[in-house]
Amino acid sequence: MPISRRALAAAVTALVLPLSACGSGGDGGGSTNASGKVEGDITFQTWNLRANFKDYFDGLIADFEKKYPGTHVKWVDQPAEGYADKLSADAAGGTLPDVVNVSPDLVAPLAKAGLAMDLDKTAAKYRSEYLPGAWASHQIPGMSGTYAFPWYLNTGPMFYNKALFKQAGLDPEKPPSTYDELFADALRMAQKSGGKVATLANIPTIEDFGRYGASLMNKEGTGFAFNDAKGVELLTKYKQLYDNKGLDTQALNATPESAGKKFLTQAVAMNPGSALDLDHFKTQAPSLYKNIGITDQITNTGHVNMYVMGMMVNSRTRNTPTAVAFAHYVTDAEHQMSFAKKVAIFPSTAGSLDDPYFTKEDGTDETRVRIAAAKSLKNAVNYTPALFSEQMKTALRNEVDKALQGKQSPQAALDNAVKACDQLLKQQG
């Protein structure tokens, strides 16, 4: 998929895959023994990467085939549009490639259908090479095992407007780092500006409930749990913020683009972003750029949210040793690092984020943001449950909207959201 997108996982609906579906092995027979000789043919599928990175992957495959004589990797690249449907069709038809580029929400139905190899069984020796949070990101609630090698990561810092903080009597060098600090600062900002300056332009999402410390799912992975005391507390505070204009009055209909515009015009004091935003500020809003501050995402847990891509091995592959070896090769420290230097993403391998590329300032905006993001990724987690579909995001948003408008209590809103999401979860099978 397009790497430039901040949310690396595309919107997908539930994939209902028959448990009897065969993989590329045709008759469903596949070995889980990865210790054999690395040789023979495999098929490798990426997600909308050929247009921009053909030379990189051609070189990667050539180097792998040189390292392992007698191997041949056929690379196929699928467009972003309809990728989930393509995976579903391949899974049902027994034509799923041996190694597949996935995100956690895409690997979940494949794992449930028995089509994603459990790497805790076949590739456990590689686990220590990756950041713990990245390895855990392709674990499925209610199932044991890990179902994809972690590949590239992404996250973004929070930008804040130092001038607006100063005008509100807040220390521009000490932005909020917890939700309590955020809400206190936001209420003061609204009061001091007479309601003209909000601090945030977005309503809380599932990631916010995770960062706040709410439970997201039960341990069995059979139901959602963000309507617990912490979840209700968060939504109650957002309601207070909304009533006092600390949350932008148009937040109920906000998109990432509209929220970004609010920050650009200095109508809100904080907004998540990336290095690309800094360049935009520099040209489109020089006064904002002059006062820009960069800080970590707001969190009560000490762990920021990350987005992650992975490399899944088809459990029905006829060539387990080569498929596992290639998936590991694509995602090892050396190749993740080389890929990260071609595009604004981050490696998921342990120690890679200590490279000078991610730690040494050079005075550029791009490097400022890269260093800030890399630092926060070392112990980041993916707060979005792998089973949380786009329909569930919509259900949560609708109920949150009602709570903020005073049409129902925060508790009732989250109870209704959990009920709706649980029903959608049952439909996934």
Side-chain angles (χ1 to χ4, degrees), residues 155-156 211 296-299 301-306 373 375-383:
T155 191
R211 282 186 293 236
D296 289 341
Q297 296 173 25
I298 306 298
T299 171
T301 64
H303 303 281
V304 305
N305 184 61
M306 68 177 175
K375 183 179 179 181
S376 69
L377 275 171
K378 290 184 179 181
N379 67 347
V381 298
N382 179 17
Y383 283 113

Side-chain angles (χ1 to χ4, degrees), residues 44-98:
F44 162 55
Q45 179 170 290
T46 52
W47 185 353
N48 198 27
L49 296 178
R50 184 182 295 273
N52 294 321
F53 304 102
K54 182 179 185 300
D55 290 345
Y56 173 81
F57 286 103
D58 283 345
L60 184 77
I61 291 168
D63 289 344
F64 178 81
E65 292 174 347
K66 182 178 179 181
K67 180 177 180 179
Y68 297 102
T71 60
H72 175 71
V73 179
K74 178 184 178 182
W75 175 31
V76 295
D77 186 67
Q78 299 293 345
E81 185 177 355
Y83 189 69
D85 293 336
K86 173 64 175 171
L87 287 181
S88 182
D90 283 345
T95 56
L96 197 67
D98 300 278

Side-chain angles (χ1 to χ4, degrees), residues 125-136 149-153 306 328 331-337 346-355 358-359 374 377-380:
K125 64 180 180 180
Y126 298 126
R127 181 173 185 157
S128 62
E129 296 181 18
Y130 302 89
L131 295 170
W135 185 267
F149 283 100
W151 192 15
Y152 58 84
L153 311 175
M306 68 177 175
H328 173 252
T331 62
D332 69 17
E334 176 186 353
H335 297 105
Q336 286 212 47
M337 194 68 202
F346 300 87
S348 63
T349 40
S352 295
L353 296 175
D354 293 322
D355 187 276
F358 297 112
T359 60
L377 275 171
K378 290 184 179 181
N379 67 347

Side-chain angles (χ1 to χ4, degrees), residues 149-343:
F149 283 100
W151 192 15
Y152 58 84
L153 311 175
N154 216 338
T155 191
M158 286 290 288
F159 289 127
Y160 68 101
N161 188 319
K162 290 184 176 182
L164 293 179
F165 269 67
K166 190 174 182 179
Q167 289 169 19
L170 299 167
D171 188 341
E173 303 305 322
K174 292 183 179 179
S177 61
T178 67
Y179 279 93
D180 283 347
E181 293 173 355
L182 171 66
F183 293 129
D185 287 356
L187 290 172
R188 180 162 182 168
M189 184 89 64
Q191 181 184 26
K192 287 288 185 177
S193 67
K196 293 180 180 179
V197 178
T199 298
L200 300 175
N202 292 295
I203 66 172
T205 63
I206 192 66
E207 292 91 348
D208 286 299
F209 285 95
R211 282 186 293 236
Y212 193 78
S215 300
L216 300 181
M217 293 196 78
N218 61 31
K219 292 181 180 180
E220 297 75 28
T222 57
F224 292 94
F226 50 81
N227 59 337
D228 65 0
K230 282 289 186 181
V232 173
E233 184 178 279
L234 175 66
L235 188 51
T236 299
K237 290 185 176 182
Y238 261 91
K239 168 63 173 166
Q240 182 185 17
L241 211 60
Y242 185 72
D243 289 343
N244 289 277
K245 298 186 178 180
L247 179 64
D248 186 71
T249 56
Q250 297 177 343
L252 303 186
N253 300 310
T255 64
E257 292 75 22
S258 66
K261 187 173 182 180
K262 289 277 186 178
F263 184 71
L264 187 74
T265 58
Q266 304 189 63
V268 297
M270 300 190 78
N271 201 55
S274 69
L276 297 176
D277 293 310
L278 269 181
D279 293 336
H280 187 55
F281 300 154
K282 190 173 185 178
T283 57
Q284 300 296 318
S287 61
L288 169 64
Y289 178 76
K290 182 176 66 174
N291 292 294
I292 203 73
I294 304 174
T295 189
D296 289 341
Q297 296 173 25
I298 306 298
T299 171
N300 285 352
T301 64
H303 303 281
V304 305
N305 184 61
M306 68 177 175
Y307 301 99
V308 58
M309 272 292 173
M311 281 292 165
M312 184 199 88
V313 178
N314 182 356
S315 66
R316 310 295 176 87
T317 179
R318 290 187 180 277
N319 199 340
T320 296
T322 303
V324 170
F326 184 73
H328 173 252
Y329 189 79
V330 173
T331 62
D332 69 17
E334 176 186 353
H335 297 105
Q336 286 212 47
M337 194 68 202
S338 65
F339 197 38
K341 290 183 177 180
K342 293 182 178 296
V343 65

